Amino acid sequence: MRAVTRERTNSPVEERGCQDTMNSILGVLLTWTIVMTSCDAYCYVSSLKVSPGSQPEGCKDLQGVLRSFKTQWKNEACEICDCSYNGITCCSLMMTPIGYDENKCKAIFDPETCTHIAVQKENPLKPCEVPIYIG
């Protein structure tokens, strides 16, 4: 008995659908790569400290302030923090300009917006063009 093999050929519609799927996957991966490359933020977690036999009322931040569970706040270090039953999680809000003309401009920090603003060295009242901020 002889085995007969038959080559499977895809119709143009099947090939087009497969190509669209692959293009979509590549687009998502490229977008994710760009976002992750430009993201320079950091986060950290401080564990909840619980005394044996006691029920925690909330989280104590680095300044010793007791924060209620399920609350969020911005601290002096330009971090957004939240209190959960696992502890405090804080992530940087700091935005830093890159790609501006460093010969003509300098970055100054604005604590209200948690960003470094690029301004002209000769006239700090005039902003410089900044193509991208990371943070």
Side-chain angles (χ1 to χ4, degrees), residues 17-67:
C18 183
Q19 187 67 36
D20 287 346
T21 301
M22 293 301 288
N23 286 342
S24 296
I25 291 170
L26 286 173
V28 168
L29 290 174
L30 178 62
T31 302
W32 182 253
T33 302
I34 291 169
V35 167
M36 292 309 293
T37 302
S38 66
C39 183
D40 194 24
Y42 68 87
C43 296
Y44 62 90
V45 178
S46 298
S47 299
L48 188 63
K49 292 173 180 51
V50 181
S51 301
S54 69
Q55 191 70 8
E57 297 176 28
C59 308
K60 279 197 178 179
D61 66 15
L62 296 174
Q63 288 72 39
V65 176
L66 183 64
R67 305 287 182 162

Side-chain angles (χ1 to χ4, degrees), residues 24-128:
S24 296
I25 291 170
L26 286 173
V28 168
L29 290 174
L30 178 62
T31 302
W32 182 253
T33 302
I34 291 169
V35 167
M36 292 309 293
T37 302
S38 66
C39 183
D40 194 24
Y42 68 87
C43 296
Y44 62 90
V45 178
S46 298
S47 299
L48 188 63
K49 292 173 180 51
V50 181
S51 301
S54 69
Q55 191 70 8
E57 297 176 28
C59 308
K60 279 197 178 179
D61 66 15
L62 296 174
Q63 288 72 39
V65 176
L66 183 64
R67 305 287 182 162
S68 299
F69 289 117
K70 298 181 182 180
T71 58
Q72 258 190 0
W73 66 96
K74 179 180 149 190
N75 66 18
E76 300 80 31
C78 286
E79 298 167 330
I80 188 75
C81 301
D82 66 85
C83 173
S84 72
Y85 295 101
N86 295 324
I88 296 178
T89 302
C90 294
C91 295
S92 173
L93 293 171
M94 190 109 32
M95 299 295 291
T96 304
I98 60 171
Y100 63 92
D101 185 348
E102 292 184 34
N103 294 323
K104 295 179 182 176
C105 304
K106 65 180 179 179
I108 57 171
F109 184 67
D110 180 357
E112 285 296 312
T113 61
C114 293
T115 57
H116 287 88
I117 302 166
V119 295
Q120 293 180 7
K121 289 179 181 177
E122 292 184 13
N123 185 356
L125 297 176
K126 286 191 173 182
C128 292

